Amino acid sequence: MDLPVYHCFKVTQGLQLTGKLDDPLWKKAPVAKLVRADTGKAPRFPTEVRLLYSETTLYIGFHCIDDY
């Protein structure tokens, strides 16, 4: 089975870390929809992740839906 590949884009300016994915730089990052590790199927609560990096930092942004 081939594993998925994610292309992480480099940013040259700082990201505004607000707890939301509203900085325009996040729009450059492809969306990866997470799946269950044991089955590969969709999880009960959908989760999307975006990644960017700079010379010094790996930025990881999640959008999660849950009961809480």
Tab-separated table of all heavy atoms in Angstrom:
chain	number	residue	atom	x	y	z
A	1	MET	N	0.843	-1.179	0.000
A	1	MET	CA	0.000	0.000	0.000
A	1	MET	C	0.887	1.242	0.000
A	1	MET	O	1.809	1.357	0.796
A	1	MET	CB	-0.899	-0.024	1.235
A	1	MET	CG	-1.684	1.232	1.424
A	1	MET	SD	-2.882	1.154	2.758
A	1	MET	CE	-1.846	1.486	4.155
A	2	ASP	N	0.617	2.162	-0.909
A	2	ASP	CA	1.361	3.421	-0.956
A	2	ASP	C	0.856	4.358	0.137
A	2	ASP	O	-0.346	4.516	0.325
A	2	ASP	CB	1.192	4.097	-2.314
A	2	ASP	CG	1.905	3.353	-3.421
A	2	ASP	OD1	2.886	2.653	-3.123
A	2	ASP	OD2	1.474	3.469	-4.578
A	3	LEU	N	1.798	4.973	0.822
A	3	LEU	CA	1.440	5.946	1.847
A	3	LEU	C	1.180	7.298	1.189
A	3	LEU	O	1.780	7.633	0.172
A	3	LEU	CB	2.567	6.064	2.866
A	3	LEU	CG	2.848	4.807	3.678
A	3	LEU	CD1	4.054	5.028	4.577
A	3	LEU	CD2	1.642	4.419	4.497
A	4	PRO	N	0.289	8.083	1.779
A	4	PRO	CA	0.023	9.399	1.207
A	4	PRO	C	1.241	10.313	1.358
A	4	PRO	O	2.064	10.133	2.250
A	4	PRO	CB	-1.157	9.916	2.027
A	4	PRO	CG	-1.185	9.093	3.252
A	4	PRO	CD	-0.525	7.796	2.943
A	5	VAL	N	1.337	11.303	0.483
A	5	VAL	CA	2.420	12.286	0.517
A	5	VAL	C	1.795	13.656	0.718
A	5	VAL	O	0.799	13.995	0.080
A	5	VAL	CB	3.222	12.260	-0.800
A	5	VAL	CG1	4.251	13.373	-0.837
A	5	VAL	CG2	3.866	10.909	-0.996
A	6	TYR	N	2.375	14.441	1.607
A	6	TYR	CA	1.903	15.797	1.849
A	6	TYR	C	3.007	16.760	1.449
A	6	TYR	O	4.162	16.593	1.844
A	6	TYR	CB	1.556	15.991	3.327
A	6	TYR	CG	0.965	17.348	3.603
A	6	TYR	CD1	-0.395	17.559	3.482
A	6	TYR	CD2	1.766	18.417	3.970
A	6	TYR	CE1	-0.951	18.806	3.724
A	6	TYR	CE2	1.226	19.663	4.209
A	6	TYR	CZ	-0.136	19.857	4.081
A	6	TYR	OH	-0.679	21.094	4.309
A	7	HIS	N	2.676	17.757	0.652
A	7	HIS	CA	3.645	18.755	0.226
A	7	HIS	C	3.519	19.986	1.125
A	7	HIS	O	2.529	20.697	1.061
A	7	HIS	CB	3.434	19.133	-1.235
A	7	HIS	CG	3.659	17.979	-2.156
A	7	HIS	ND1	4.917	17.574	-2.540
A	7	HIS	CD2	2.795	17.121	-2.734
A	7	HIS	CE1	4.819	16.521	-3.321
A	7	HIS	NE2	3.534	16.225	-3.451
A	8	CYS	N	4.515	20.169	1.972
A	8	CYS	CA	4.529	21.261	2.941
A	8	CYS	C	5.241	22.458	2.325
A	8	CYS	O	6.395	22.347	1.901
A	8	CYS	CB	5.249	20.777	4.200
A	8	CYS	SG	5.125	21.901	5.581
A	9	PHE	N	4.557	23.593	2.259
A	9	PHE	CA	5.108	24.787	1.638
A	9	PHE	C	5.890	25.628	2.635
A	9	PHE	O	5.507	25.739	3.805
A	9	PHE	CB	3.996	25.623	1.010
A	9	PHE	CG	3.376	24.971	-0.183
A	9	PHE	CD1	2.176	24.298	-0.081
A	9	PHE	CD2	4.011	25.003	-1.411
A	9	PHE	CE1	1.607	23.681	-1.172
A	9	PHE	CE2	3.459	24.388	-2.510
A	9	PHE	CZ	2.258	23.722	-2.393
A	10	LYS	N	6.952	26.245	2.137
A	10	LYS	CA	7.779	27.117	2.965
A	10	LYS	C	7.220	28.536	2.926
A	10	LYS	O	6.827	29.026	1.865
A	10	LYS	CB	9.222	27.119	2.455
A	10	LYS	CG	10.156	27.934	3.308
A	10	LYS	CD	11.579	27.812	2.797
A	10	LYS	CE	12.522	28.571	3.707
A	10	LYS	NZ	13.912	28.453	3.230
A	11	VAL	N	7.189	29.181	4.086
A	11	VAL	CA	6.784	30.579	4.174
A	11	VAL	C	8.000	31.403	4.578
A	11	VAL	O	8.861	30.932	5.319
A	11	VAL	CB	5.616	30.787	5.165
A	11	VAL	CG1	4.351	30.128	4.660
A	11	VAL	CG2	5.949	30.278	6.552
A	12	THR	N	8.065	32.620	4.075
A	12	THR	CA	9.209	33.469	4.380
A	12	THR	C	8.851	34.602	5.323
A	12	THR	O	9.711	35.373	5.708
A	12	THR	CB	9.802	34.062	3.085
A	12	THR	OG1	8.772	34.769	2.392
A	12	THR	CG2	10.358	32.958	2.198
A	13	GLN	N	7.586	34.701	5.674
A	13	GLN	CA	7.164	35.712	6.644
A	13	GLN	C	6.463	35.016	7.792
A	13	GLN	O	6.006	33.885	7.666
A	13	GLN	CB	6.249	36.743	5.997
A	13	GLN	CG	4.944	36.147	5.455
A	13	GLN	CD	4.204	37.117	4.573
A	13	GLN	OE1	4.740	37.593	3.587
A	13	GLN	NE2	2.970	37.411	4.933
A	14	GLY	N	6.377	35.699	8.932
A	14	GLY	CA	5.759	35.108	10.110
A	14	GLY	C	4.265	34.906	9.947
A	14	GLY	O	3.595	35.656	9.240
A	15	LEU	N	3.769	33.893	10.589
A	15	LEU	CA	2.343	33.566	10.575
A	15	LEU	C	1.689	34.187	11.798
A	15	LEU	O	2.266	34.154	12.895
A	15	LEU	CB	2.205	32.045	10.649
A	15	LEU	CG	1.158	31.341	9.837
A	15	LEU	CD1	1.289	31.638	8.370
A	15	LEU	CD2	1.241	29.853	10.059
A	16	GLN	N	0.505	34.752	11.651
A	16	GLN	CA	-0.233	35.241	12.804
A	16	GLN	C	-0.896	34.049	13.476
A	16	GLN	O	-1.773	33.413	12.890
A	16	GLN	CB	-1.285	36.256	12.394
A	16	GLN	CG	-0.707	37.570	11.955
A	16	GLN	CD	-1.797	38.592	11.685
A	16	GLN	OE1	-2.975	38.264	11.588
A	16	GLN	NE2	-1.404	39.840	11.579
A	17	LEU	N	-0.469	33.741	14.688
A	17	LEU	CA	-1.002	32.585	15.409
A	17	LEU	C	-2.138	33.054	16.311
A	17	LEU	O	-1.918	33.571	17.400
A	17	LEU	CB	0.114	31.910	16.213
A	17	LEU	CG	1.302	31.438	15.361
A	17	LEU	CD1	2.373	30.825	16.239
A	17	LEU	CD2	0.846	30.457	14.311
A	18	THR	N	-3.353	32.865	15.826
A	18	THR	CA	-4.539	33.355	16.521
A	18	THR	C	-5.392	32.231	17.089
A	18	THR	O	-6.388	32.493	17.740
A	18	THR	CB	-5.415	34.175	15.553
A	18	THR	OG1	-5.849	33.300	14.501
A	18	THR	CG2	-4.663	35.350	14.970
A	19	GLY	N	-5.019	30.994	16.794
A	19	GLY	CA	-5.882	29.882	17.167
A	19	GLY	C	-6.905	29.578	16.084
A	19	GLY	O	-7.667	28.622	16.194
A	20	LYS	N	-6.933	30.396	15.057
A	20	LYS	CA	-7.814	30.195	13.907
A	20	LYS	C	-6.937	30.087	12.678
A	20	LYS	O	-5.806	30.552	12.662
A	20	LYS	CB	-8.771	31.377	13.740
A	20	LYS	CG	-9.651	31.623	14.935
A	20	LYS	CD	-10.482	32.857	14.701
A	20	LYS	CE	-11.300	33.199	15.931
A	20	LYS	NZ	-12.046	34.448	15.755
A	21	LEU	N	-7.460	29.510	11.649
A	21	LEU	CA	-6.702	29.402	10.397
A	21	LEU	C	-7.082	30.545	9.457
A	21	LEU	O	-7.354	30.345	8.281
A	21	LEU	CB	-6.957	28.041	9.740
A	21	LEU	CG	-6.560	26.827	10.575
A	21	LEU	CD1	-6.884	25.532	9.845
A	21	LEU	CD2	-5.087	26.871	10.930
A	22	ASP	N	-7.078	31.783	10.004
A	22	ASP	CA	-7.533	32.919	9.210
A	22	ASP	C	-6.398	33.736	8.590
A	22	ASP	O	-6.658	34.633	7.805
A	22	ASP	CB	-8.445	33.821	10.041
A	22	ASP	CG	-7.816	34.294	11.343
A	22	ASP	OD1	-6.660	33.918	11.633
A	22	ASP	OD2	-8.486	35.029	12.084
A	23	ASP	N	-5.150	33.421	8.906
A	23	ASP	CA	-4.035	34.101	8.250
A	23	ASP	C	-4.029	33.671	6.780
A	23	ASP	O	-4.153	32.482	6.478
A	23	ASP	CB	-2.713	33.716	8.918
A	23	ASP	CG	-1.540	34.526	8.407
A	23	ASP	OD1	-1.272	34.462	7.182
A	23	ASP	OD2	-0.886	35.196	9.206
A	24	PRO	N	-3.889	34.605	5.844
A	24	PRO	CA	-3.905	34.248	4.413
A	24	PRO	C	-2.863	33.201	4.024
A	24	PRO	O	-3.053	32.476	3.050
A	24	PRO	CB	-3.634	35.579	3.709
A	24	PRO	CG	-4.035	36.626	4.680
A	24	PRO	CD	-3.798	36.054	6.046
A	25	LEU	N	-1.771	33.100	4.774
A	25	LEU	CA	-0.758	32.098	4.446
A	25	LEU	C	-1.301	30.679	4.568
A	25	LEU	O	-0.844	29.776	3.864
A	25	LEU	CB	0.465	32.277	5.343
A	25	LEU	CG	1.300	33.523	5.066
A	25	LEU	CD1	2.387	33.680	6.120
A	25	LEU	CD2	1.904	33.462	3.684
A	26	TRP	N	-2.268	30.444	5.454
A	26	TRP	CA	-2.838	29.098	5.591
A	26	TRP	C	-3.513	28.648	4.308
A	26	TRP	O	-3.616	27.458	4.044
A	26	TRP	CB	-3.837	29.036	6.749
A	26	TRP	CG	-3.198	28.996	8.095
A	26	TRP	CD1	-3.343	29.924	9.092
A	26	TRP	CD2	-2.338	27.984	8.624
A	26	TRP	NE1	-2.606	29.548	10.188
A	26	TRP	CE2	-1.980	28.358	9.923
A	26	TRP	CE3	-1.810	26.798	8.113
A	26	TRP	CZ2	-1.139	27.586	10.723
A	26	TRP	CZ3	-0.984	26.035	8.906
A	26	TRP	CH2	-0.657	26.427	10.198
A	27	LYS	N	-3.976	29.570	3.484
A	27	LYS	CA	-4.643	29.192	2.225
A	27	LYS	C	-3.662	28.532	1.253
A	27	LYS	O	-4.068	27.820	0.351
A	27	LYS	CB	-5.303	30.410	1.597
A	27	LYS	CG	-6.421	30.960	2.467
A	27	LYS	CD	-7.392	31.749	1.678
A	27	LYS	CE	-8.466	32.383	2.528
A	27	LYS	NZ	-9.152	31.558	3.449
A	28	LYS	N	-2.356	28.769	1.438
A	28	LYS	CA	-1.340	28.132	0.595
A	28	LYS	C	-1.139	26.665	0.965
A	28	LYS	O	-0.614	25.894	0.188
A	28	LYS	CB	-0.011	28.857	0.728
A	28	LYS	CG	-0.019	30.252	0.179
A	28	LYS	CD	1.355	30.860	0.286
A	28	LYS	CE	1.371	32.232	-0.354
A	28	LYS	NZ	2.725	32.773	-0.416
A	29	ALA	N	-1.523	26.309	2.175
A	29	ALA	CA	-1.272	24.959	2.678
A	29	ALA	C	-2.385	24.013	2.237
A	29	ALA	O	-3.565	24.276	2.466
A	29	ALA	CB	-1.196	24.972	4.205
A	30	PRO	N	-2.029	22.890	1.605
A	30	PRO	CA	-3.048	21.911	1.223
A	30	PRO	C	-3.738	21.336	2.459
A	30	PRO	O	-3.126	21.207	3.520
A	30	PRO	CB	-2.254	20.818	0.508
A	30	PRO	CG	-0.923	21.397	0.200
A	30	PRO	CD	-0.685	22.482	1.186
A	31	VAL	N	-4.994	20.995	2.312
A	31	VAL	CA	-5.762	20.377	3.396
A	31	VAL	C	-5.574	18.869	3.351
A	31	VAL	O	-5.705	18.255	2.293
A	31	VAL	CB	-7.268	20.710	3.269
A	31	VAL	CG1	-8.086	19.954	4.288
A	31	VAL	CG2	-7.481	22.204	3.399
A	32	ALA	N	-5.246	18.291	4.490
A	32	ALA	CA	-5.181	16.834	4.621
A	32	ALA	C	-6.285	16.415	5.582
A	32	ALA	O	-6.360	16.920	6.707
A	32	ALA	CB	-3.824	16.397	5.153
A	33	LYS	N	-7.157	15.534	5.140
A	33	LYS	CA	-8.228	15.032	5.999
A	33	LYS	C	-7.722	13.780	6.699
A	33	LYS	O	-7.297	12.828	6.043
A	33	LYS	CB	-9.478	14.742	5.180
A	33	LYS	CG	-10.058	16.007	4.596
A	33	LYS	CD	-11.341	15.753	3.862
A	33	LYS	CE	-11.866	17.083	3.339
A	33	LYS	NZ	-13.223	17.004	2.873
A	34	LEU	N	-7.734	13.818	8.014
A	34	LEU	CA	-7.231	12.684	8.779
A	34	LEU	C	-8.220	11.526	8.753
A	34	LEU	O	-9.439	11.728	8.689
A	34	LEU	CB	-6.943	13.109	10.215
A	34	LEU	CG	-5.913	14.234	10.384
A	34	LEU	CD1	-5.629	14.463	11.868
A	34	LEU	CD2	-4.640	13.929	9.641
A	35	VAL	N	-7.681	10.322	8.805
A	35	VAL	CA	-8.487	9.097	8.833
A	35	VAL	C	-8.080	8.277	10.050
A	35	VAL	O	-7.051	8.523	10.672
A	35	VAL	CB	-8.296	8.266	7.543
A	35	VAL	CG1	-8.772	9.048	6.328
A	35	VAL	CG2	-6.857	7.838	7.360
A	36	ARG	N	-8.875	7.283	10.359
A	36	ARG	CA	-8.551	6.392	11.476
A	36	ARG	C	-7.300	5.588	11.140
A	36	ARG	O	-7.185	5.032	10.046
A	36	ARG	CB	-9.717	5.457	11.755
A	36	ARG	CG	-10.941	6.162	12.324
A	36	ARG	CD	-12.063	5.166	12.583
A	36	ARG	NE	-11.600	4.044	13.350
A	36	ARG	CZ	-11.768	3.897	14.674
A	36	ARG	NH1	-12.422	4.813	15.339
A	36	ARG	NH2	-11.317	2.838	15.295
A	37	ALA	N	-6.379	5.515	12.081
A	37	ALA	CA	-5.122	4.793	11.862
A	37	ALA	C	-5.351	3.288	11.743
A	37	ALA	O	-4.626	2.600	11.029
A	37	ALA	CB	-4.147	5.090	12.992
A	38	ASP	N	-6.368	2.751	12.418
A	38	ASP	CA	-6.572	1.305	12.422
A	38	ASP	C	-7.345	0.792	11.210
A	38	ASP	O	-7.183	-0.354	10.799
A	38	ASP	CB	-7.256	0.861	13.717
A	38	ASP	CG	-8.603	1.525	13.954
A	38	ASP	OD1	-8.910	2.548	13.309
A	38	ASP	OD2	-9.353	1.024	14.810
A	39	THR	N	-8.182	1.656	10.606
A	39	THR	CA	-9.012	1.179	9.496
A	39	THR	C	-8.823	1.983	8.211
A	39	THR	O	-9.194	1.517	7.139
A	39	THR	CB	-10.504	1.251	9.863
A	39	THR	OG1	-10.858	2.633	10.062
A	39	THR	CG2	-10.822	0.431	11.101
A	40	GLY	N	-8.309	3.203	8.317
A	40	GLY	CA	-8.188	4.069	7.150
A	40	GLY	C	-9.500	4.732	6.764
A	40	GLY	O	-9.570	5.451	5.779
A	41	LYS	N	-10.539	4.493	7.555
A	41	LYS	CA	-11.852	5.077	7.266
A	41	LYS	C	-11.991	6.442	7.943
A	41	LYS	O	-11.195	6.815	8.800
A	41	LYS	CB	-12.953	4.140	7.745
A	41	LYS	CG	-12.981	2.841	6.978
A	41	LYS	CD	-14.115	1.949	7.429
A	41	LYS	CE	-14.091	0.648	6.641
A	41	LYS	NZ	-15.142	-0.263	7.053
A	42	ALA	N	-13.042	7.142	7.560
A	42	ALA	CA	-13.315	8.456	8.146
A	42	ALA	C	-13.554	8.315	9.649
A	42	ALA	O	-14.229	7.385	10.090
A	42	ALA	CB	-14.529	9.085	7.480
A	43	PRO	N	-13.035	9.227	10.440
A	43	PRO	CA	-13.255	9.182	11.887
A	43	PRO	C	-14.655	9.674	12.248
A	43	PRO	O	-15.345	10.279	11.415
A	43	PRO	CB	-12.197	10.136	12.432
A	43	PRO	CG	-11.983	11.111	11.330
A	43	PRO	CD	-12.181	10.338	10.060
A	44	ARG	N	-15.049	9.419	13.473
A	44	ARG	CA	-16.352	9.886	13.952
A	44	ARG	C	-16.428	11.414	13.897
A	44	ARG	O	-17.445	11.987	13.550
A	44	ARG	CB	-16.579	9.402	15.391
A	44	ARG	CG	-17.869	9.874	15.981
A	44	ARG	CD	-18.108	9.253	17.349
A	44	ARG	NE	-19.216	9.912	17.995
A	44	ARG	CZ	-19.273	10.219	19.260
A	44	ARG	NH1	-18.278	9.891	20.064
A	44	ARG	NH2	-20.313	10.825	19.776
A	45	PHE	N	-15.331	12.069	14.268
A	45	PHE	CA	-15.262	13.529	14.249
A	45	PHE	C	-14.255	13.958	13.184
A	45	PHE	O	-13.065	13.675	13.307
A	45	PHE	CB	-14.835	14.077	15.606
A	45	PHE	CG	-15.773	13.716	16.717
A	45	PHE	CD1	-15.374	12.869	17.725
A	45	PHE	CD2	-17.066	14.213	16.734
A	45	PHE	CE1	-16.230	12.534	18.747
A	45	PHE	CE2	-17.940	13.879	17.753
A	45	PHE	CZ	-17.526	13.038	18.758
A	46	PRO	N	-14.713	14.612	12.121
A	46	PRO	CA	-13.805	15.015	11.051
A	46	PRO	C	-12.707	15.954	11.556
A	46	PRO	O	-12.967	16.842	12.360
A	46	PRO	CB	-14.704	15.750	10.064
A	46	PRO	CG	-16.092	15.376	10.422
A	46	PRO	CD	-16.088	15.011	11.870
A	47	THR	N	-11.501	15.732	11.091
A	47	THR	CA	-10.364	16.586	11.425
A	47	THR	C	-9.550	16.849	10.170
A	47	THR	O	-9.234	15.926	9.431
A	47	THR	CB	-9.470	15.927	12.496
A	47	THR	OG1	-10.248	15.658	13.664
A	47	THR	CG2	-8.306	16.820	12.863
A	48	GLU	N	-9.253	18.117	9.953
A	48	GLU	CA	-8.400	18.518	8.846
A	48	GLU	C	-7.144	19.157	9.414
A	48	GLU	O	-7.175	19.782	10.465
A	48	GLU	CB	-9.112	19.540	7.952
A	48	GLU	CG	-10.348	18.993	7.280
A	48	GLU	CD	-11.055	20.039	6.442
A	48	GLU	OE1	-10.726	21.234	6.525
A	48	GLU	OE2	-11.952	19.638	5.690
A	49	VAL	N	-6.046	18.987	8.708
A	49	VAL	CA	-4.773	19.563	9.151
A	49	VAL	C	-4.108	20.268	7.969
A	49	VAL	O	-4.278	19.855	6.813
A	49	VAL	CB	-3.853	18.476	9.761
A	49	VAL	CG1	-3.470	17.441	8.741
A	49	VAL	CG2	-2.615	19.083	10.391
A	50	ARG	N	-3.405	21.341	8.269
A	50	ARG	CA	-2.605	22.077	7.287
A	50	ARG	C	-1.226	22.291	7.900
A	50	ARG	O	-1.117	22.510	9.103
A	50	ARG	CB	-3.221	23.439	6.968
A	50	ARG	CG	-4.558	23.355	6.288
A	50	ARG	CD	-5.161	24.757	6.178
A	50	ARG	NE	-6.497	24.709	5.655
A	50	ARG	CZ	-6.860	25.161	4.455
A	50	ARG	NH1	-5.974	25.718	3.663
A	50	ARG	NH2	-8.099	25.078	4.052
A	51	LEU	N	-0.189	22.235	7.065
A	51	LEU	CA	1.166	22.425	7.547
A	51	LEU	C	1.914	23.426	6.670
A	51	LEU	O	1.737	23.432	5.451
A	51	LEU	CB	1.944	21.107	7.530
A	51	LEU	CG	1.462	20.044	8.493
A	51	LEU	CD1	0.494	19.108	7.811
A	51	LEU	CD2	2.630	19.271	9.049
A	52	LEU	N	2.718	24.236	7.319
A	52	LEU	CA	3.626	25.163	6.658
A	52	LEU	C	4.932	25.127	7.436
A	52	LEU	O	4.952	24.712	8.594
A	52	LEU	CB	3.072	26.590	6.675
A	52	LEU	CG	1.783	26.848	5.907
A	52	LEU	CD1	1.200	28.198	6.295
A	52	LEU	CD2	2.042	26.791	4.409
A	53	TYR	N	6.024	25.575	6.811
A	53	TYR	CA	7.273	25.653	7.564
A	53	TYR	C	8.052	26.891	7.162
A	53	TYR	O	7.850	27.469	6.091
A	53	TYR	CB	8.118	24.397	7.374
A	53	TYR	CG	8.844	24.299	6.056
A	53	TYR	CD1	10.180	24.666	5.949
A	53	TYR	CD2	8.200	23.841	4.907
A	53	TYR	CE1	10.855	24.585	4.736
A	53	TYR	CE2	8.870	23.751	3.702
A	53	TYR	CZ	10.192	24.128	3.620
A	53	TYR	OH	10.852	24.049	2.421
A	54	SER	N	8.923	27.318	8.070
A	54	SER	CA	9.847	28.410	7.798
A	54	SER	C	11.251	27.900	8.104
A	54	SER	O	11.430	26.707	8.384
A	54	SER	CB	9.509	29.628	8.671
A	54	SER	OG	9.818	29.365	10.027
A	55	GLU	N	12.217	28.785	8.102
A	55	GLU	CA	13.590	28.386	8.416
A	55	GLU	C	13.710	27.788	9.818
A	55	GLU	O	14.568	26.957	10.077
A	55	GLU	CB	14.537	29.586	8.299
A	55	GLU	CG	14.796	30.019	6.880
A	55	GLU	CD	15.625	29.016	6.089
A	55	GLU	OE1	16.489	28.342	6.666
A	55	GLU	OE2	15.403	28.921	4.875
A	56	THR	N	12.827	28.215	10.725
A	56	THR	CA	12.971	27.809	12.127
A	56	THR	C	11.760	27.093	12.722
A	56	THR	O	11.843	26.581	13.829
A	56	THR	CB	13.245	29.040	13.013
A	56	THR	OG1	12.147	29.958	12.881
A	56	THR	CG2	14.536	29.731	12.611
A	57	THR	N	10.640	27.068	11.996
A	57	THR	CA	9.399	26.616	12.625
A	57	THR	C	8.581	25.730	11.692
A	57	THR	O	8.492	25.997	10.498
A	57	THR	CB	8.532	27.835	13.014
A	57	THR	OG1	9.318	28.731	13.801
A	57	THR	CG2	7.304	27.420	13.795
A	58	LEU	N	7.981	24.692	12.262
A	58	LEU	CA	6.962	23.906	11.566
A	58	LEU	C	5.618	24.337	12.139
A	58	LEU	O	5.383	24.238	13.346
A	58	LEU	CB	7.162	22.399	11.790
A	58	LEU	CG	6.073	21.494	11.229
A	58	LEU	CD1	6.003	21.603	9.706
A	58	LEU	CD2	6.298	20.053	11.667
A	59	TYR	N	4.739	24.852	11.290
A	59	TYR	CA	3.408	25.297	11.701
A	59	TYR	C	2.405	24.208	11.376
A	59	TYR	O	2.365	23.714	10.247
A	59	TYR	CB	3.015	26.576	10.955
A	59	TYR	CG	3.926	27.751	11.208
A	59	TYR	CD1	4.933	28.076	10.306
A	59	TYR	CD2	3.770	28.536	12.341
A	59	TYR	CE1	5.762	29.160	10.533
A	59	TYR	CE2	4.597	29.620	12.580
A	59	TYR	CZ	5.598	29.925	11.661
A	59	TYR	OH	6.416	30.995	11.885
A	60	ILE	N	1.602	23.840	12.352
A	60	ILE	CA	0.580	22.807	12.165
A	60	ILE	C	-0.753	23.389	12.621
A	60	ILE	O	-0.886	23.803	13.775
A	60	ILE	CB	0.901	21.538	12.971
A	60	ILE	CG1	2.292	21.026	12.599
A	60	ILE	CG2	-0.168	20.467	12.733
A	60	ILE	CD1	2.794	19.901	13.477
A	61	GLY	N	-1.712	23.439	11.720
A	61	GLY	CA	-3.034	23.957	12.044
A	61	GLY	C	-4.080	22.867	11.879
A	61	GLY	O	-4.103	22.165	10.875
A	62	PHE	N	-4.917	22.713	12.896
A	62	PHE	CA	-5.981	21.712	12.887
A	62	PHE	C	-7.339	22.372	12.883
A	62	PHE	O	-7.540	23.394	13.543
A	62	PHE	CB	-5.917	20.830	14.147
A	62	PHE	CG	-4.780	19.872	14.172
A	62	PHE	CD1	-3.581	20.227	14.776
A	62	PHE	CD2	-4.902	18.610	13.626
A	62	PHE	CE1	-2.511	19.335	14.819
A	62	PHE	CE2	-3.850	17.720	13.654
A	62	PHE	CZ	-2.658	18.096	14.253
A	63	HIS	N	-8.267	21.789	12.173
A	63	HIS	CA	-9.679	22.156	12.285
A	63	HIS	C	-10.405	20.884	12.689
A	63	HIS	O	-10.430	19.915	11.927
A	63	HIS	CB	-10.238	22.701	10.967
A	63	HIS	CG	-11.673	23.075	11.078
A	63	HIS	ND1	-12.679	22.338	10.532
A	63	HIS	CD2	-12.275	24.108	11.710
A	63	HIS	CE1	-13.840	22.900	10.807
A	63	HIS	NE2	-13.617	23.971	11.525
A	64	CYS	N	-10.922	20.875	13.916
A	64	CYS	CA	-11.543	19.669	14.477
A	64	CYS	C	-13.000	19.936	14.819
A	64	CYS	O	-13.363	21.023	15.249
A	64	CYS	CB	-10.831	19.252	15.768
A	64	CYS	SG	-9.060	19.100	15.609
A	65	ILE	N	-13.813	18.927	14.664
A	65	ILE	CA	-15.206	18.977	15.072
A	65	ILE	C	-15.396	17.879	16.113
A	65	ILE	O	-14.994	16.730	15.890
A	65	ILE	CB	-16.143	18.750	13.871
A	65	ILE	CG1	-15.928	19.855	12.845
A	65	ILE	CG2	-17.600	18.674	14.315
A	65	ILE	CD1	-16.662	19.641	11.547
A	66	ASP	N	-15.994	18.239	17.258
A	66	ASP	CA	-16.262	17.219	18.274
A	66	ASP	C	-17.490	17.608	19.094
A	66	ASP	O	-18.075	18.656	18.888
A	66	ASP	CB	-15.043	16.983	19.173
A	66	ASP	CG	-14.637	18.196	19.994
A	66	ASP	OD1	-15.510	18.990	20.373
A	66	ASP	OD2	-13.437	18.336	20.250
A	67	ASP	N	-17.864	16.759	20.026
A	67	ASP	CA	-19.061	16.983	20.852
A	67	ASP	C	-18.869	18.067	21.906
A	67	ASP	O	-19.826	18.499	22.524
A	67	ASP	CB	-19.451	15.690	21.584
A	67	ASP	CG	-20.089	14.688	20.664
A	67	ASP	OD1	-20.484	15.065	19.553
A	67	ASP	OD2	-20.186	13.510	21.058
A	68	TYR	N	-17.641	18.464	22.151
A	68	TYR	CA	-17.373	19.405	23.248
A	68	TYR	C	-17.193	20.794	22.719
A	68	TYR	O	-16.652	21.645	23.193
A	68	TYR	CB	-16.158	18.951	24.051
A	68	TYR	CG	-16.302	17.550	24.541
A	68	TYR	CD1	-15.621	16.512	23.936
A	68	TYR	CD2	-17.153	17.245	25.588
A	68	TYR	CE1	-15.767	15.207	24.387
A	68	TYR	CE2	-17.304	15.955	26.034
A	68	TYR	CZ	-16.606	14.937	25.427
A	68	TYR	OH	-16.752	13.649	25.864
